[in-house]
Amino acid sequence: MEYMARKLLSIKIFDDEHKKKWKKTLIDNDFEVLCVSQFTLYNTWKGNKPDFHLAMPSEHSKEFYENFIEMLRSKYKPEKVKDGIFGAYMQVDLQNDGPVTLELESPAKTEKPSKKDQSAHVNKTTEEAGDILERQS
């Protein structure tokens, strides 16, 4: 979550005063942020139907969304961070400006196995190899 808040506030996607592209952040421009909960956008396809099994379960997503909004407010100007109503039917009008759509996704968390887990895996693998050798003899 911290990665996404930091990235959203620091990406350079706006022109500078000399019309040079990709030079300014929303903070540089003192822009507002409108954050709308769109968890249904995180889907895959199962045949011709959307499948949301990779989306965060609804019992966790509201708290996650609220924490994300608070994190944005703590890292920027709270009055500049706007949000919608979680889970509500909303009509949001927007105007795309240009031929670019950017997707942000946080890197997957990979947990390093502990030394104990690694040695247990090595021991298990060694035992399995020994079993295979015994069966082959």
Side-chain angles (χ1 to χ4, degrees):
M1 182 183 316
E2 197 278 330
Y3 171 88
M4 291 300 289
R6 182 172 34 83
K7 192 70 163 177
L8 180 65
L9 296 173
S10 64
I11 56 176
K12 295 181 179 187
I13 57 175
F14 302 103
D15 297 354
D16 68 9
E17 54 279 353
H18 304 291
K19 304 291 183 212
K20 289 190 177 185
K21 302 222 176 280
W22 318 110
K23 295 292 183 183
K24 296 261 184 161
T25 69
L26 66 90
I27 292 174
D28 296 334
N29 290 319
D30 201 34
F31 286 166
E32 291 185 335
V33 177
L34 174 60
C35 197
V36 179
S37 63
Q38 286 284 333
F39 287 91
T40 56
L41 292 177
Y42 206 74
N43 73 293
T44 58
W45 292 96
K46 188 171 187 175
N48 293 325
K49 292 183 174 183
D51 182 339
F52 302 104
H53 77 276
L54 295 177
M56 182 178 288
S58 58
E59 61 269 12
H60 303 293
S61 55
K62 183 176 183 183
E63 180 182 0
F64 182 90
Y65 173 72
E66 290 169 351
N67 289 339
F68 183 69
I69 296 296
E70 286 308 310
M71 184 173 284
L72 286 174
R73 288 180 176 145
S74 72
K75 293 181 176 299
Y76 189 40
K77 299 175 181 175
E79 70 278 3
K80 296 278 188 180
V81 179
K82 311 296 183 185
D83 64 328
I85 300 168
F86 184 87
Y89 177 84
M90 294 179 283
Q91 292 184 348
V92 178
D93 292 322
L94 64 99
Q95 180 179 353
N96 286 338
D97 184 15
V100 177
T101 300
L102 304 170
E103 181 178 313
L104 292 179
E105 190 166 330
S106 62
K109 284 189 177 183
T110 56
E111 293 184 28
K112 280 185 149 183
S114 68
K115 295 222 184 254
K116 181 179 175 184
D117 291 340
Q118 288 175 345
S119 66
H121 176 72
V122 168
N123 290 339
K124 185 174 182 185
T125 304
T126 304
E127 289 171 14
E128 290 169 351
D131 291 344
I132 292 169
L133 289 174
E134 283 180 22
R135 281 182 268 162
Q136 290 177 347
S137 345

